[in-house]
Amino acid sequence: MDICTISAPSGLFRGLTEANAAFFRGIPYAHARRFERPVPAEFPDGVDCFAYGAKSIQNPQDMRGPVEGPFSEDCLSLNIVYPKENRTGKPLPVLFDIHGGAFQTGSGRDSGLFTLVTEEDAQLMVVSINYRLGALGYLYLKDRLPGCEADGNLGMYDQLCALQWVRKNIASFGGDPENITLHGVSAGGKSVGAMMLTPKAKPLFTKAILSSGGIMAVRTPETARILSQRYLDILGLADIKEILSCPVEKILEAQLEFAKSAGSTCLFGPVADGELIPLDWKEDIRSENGWMGNTLIGNNLHELMFFAFNPHLLEAAPGIAAELFGDRSKYAEEAFAELAKDAADDKSKVDCWVKVFSDYMYRSHGDNLAQILAGRGGKVWTYSFDYPPAHHSQDAVTLHMGGSADGPVPDAAPDAKEVKDRMMKAMRSAFANFVITGDPNTSLLPAWGCVTPGHYERMHFDREFTFDDPESPSLGGFPDDVIHLG
């Protein structure tokens, strides 16, 4: 390994070359005190970027098992990976990755997209980021703590600050600041959708890839206020000002209790505060002022199939719907009633609920965003990951790891590794082509056409790759925002 040094507007950065790539790990792009907005960092005397930065504060256990640290409130760092040899002779397209994890877990070091450079030798640059999570990133304290900057969007301000840092500095690393693609899975995809609504972010990226994401995570101030009060009731401080200095372990302990319900994925996320995200964001995305760029949107066929493992789902489903959607749960119950009217048995009814939850949490919102952007003249490509069991994030696991690892539901098919490795190659080729050219078409897939208004052209990733124009592939009728209270 050799040390490589880059002089950029924000300072002097020392990274490492490893095999065919250059790595700059843990670049501090900003600093922020608790419940304050990020302040960009500068390093005129230089900084070593040899190791990943500490992860955002989060519970050291998630649904997949123990989460490895270290963790810190001072977590605002990013990572840059690019080919050691730029064979294009031009600045490299930039893939800016926002990690997922229900706005509560994850980190930039977990990005599987680095392998596009290190294993596929794609002529592009990958940036991944840390941002504040959970209560520290998304608690809404406006009107409760005078002068406090926690308006439910600190995690979003972090993401914006990182994107601004990239626009300012990436040319010094050989990247093209005019060719930035935002990418995100799950909460990362929802973050990309929120960036589409953020006036300060709109000019900073030209393309977007959303996996199980869209504009659906944005909450109203009243919804954020109600959810934050629930959290504060659990936290149980005698004086709200104590939240500025109480041990972080206490904040995490309350968050663990707060987020233990089936609706935990909707509890944190961006807020239409009228400053970062406009109050009229639903109109804005549909207007001539809305973000416009080439977009790739994908989902898994059975996003929330995990609910089918609940032996009491038929009894519990209305309550789960209320936890996920708030007063929007009426749409879920009406959709289930329509789907299940001809259901022959309880298994069929369970399948109906899985479709309702999968569509109204993810798939419908991806299709709706595709129609909004296509209706305004944007180029949009969509895909559905259909390979069984096609659960949440299975597309991302396959893209990153192919047949070398299973997601939460192991694949028992005897040729699973071969099939998933083939899908991995095709998906990586499509994603890299999209980042580089703005078009995902590749010789490894059938011809992939754009979505057109009123039509749902999409690529299907399964044992065989197929492209079709399905009629109403997901349930309609649900409002733009997933959860609404008050």
Side-chain angles (χ1 to χ4, degrees), residues 62-232:
D62 67 12
M63 63 177 290
R64 296 164 294 185
V67 178
E68 183 180 353
F71 309 101
S72 174
E73 290 194 55
D74 186 18
C75 66
L76 302 184
S77 65
L78 57 81
N79 314 293
I80 302 175
V81 181
Y82 59 87
K84 187 177 180 179
E85 179 186 1
N86 179 352
R87 300 189 301 273
T88 71
K90 299 182 292 186
L92 293 171
V94 179
L95 178 54
F96 184 101
D97 187 30
I98 305 175
H99 72 78
F103 298 103
Q104 299 173 53
T105 65
S107 78
R109 76 167 65 179
D110 302 325
S111 177
L113 295 177
F114 299 149
T115 57
L116 289 176
V117 175
T118 59
E119 296 179 13
E120 307 300 331
D121 195 29
Q123 292 294 293
L124 55 85
M125 180 177 292
V126 178
V127 177
S128 68
I129 68 171
N130 286 355
Y131 57 98
R132 281 173 287 180
L133 301 169
L136 293 173
Y138 295 95
L139 196 65
Y140 186 86
L141 296 176
K142 195 173 182 179
D143 302 331
R144 284 192 173 88
L145 196 56
C148 181
E149 294 179 325
D151 61 355
N153 279 329
L154 290 180
M156 296 305 303
Y157 276 106
D158 296 343
Q159 294 175 18
L160 174 62
C161 187
L163 185 55
Q164 291 169 331
W165 189 98
V166 168
R167 283 282 294 208
K168 178 180 178 180
N169 293 280
I170 208 65
S172 299
F173 292 82
D176 185 351
E178 301 300 327
N179 188 2
I180 296 176
T181 301
L182 261 56
H183 169 274
V185 177
S186 193
K190 296 172 185 176
S191 295
V192 174
M195 285 293 191
M196 291 178 172
L197 308 171
T198 301
K200 290 182 179 179
K202 289 179 189 179
L204 304 182
F205 63 104
T206 56
K207 301 187 295 295
I209 303 175
L210 304 91
S211 168
S212 302
I215 56 176
M216 66 279 212
V218 179
R219 302 168 294 163
T220 66
E222 182 61 19
T223 295
R225 186 178 294 112
I226 291 171
L227 291 171
S228 293
Q229 187 59 55
R230 290 182 190 174
Y231 172 84
L232 293 173

Side-chain angles (χ1 to χ4, degrees), residues 25-44:
R25 298 180 174 95
I27 296 177
Y29 66 84
H31 298 289
R33 294 190 293 185
R34 185 181 293 184
F35 294 124
E36 292 186 5
R37 293 179 185 175
V39 177
E42 296 191 353
F43 297 91

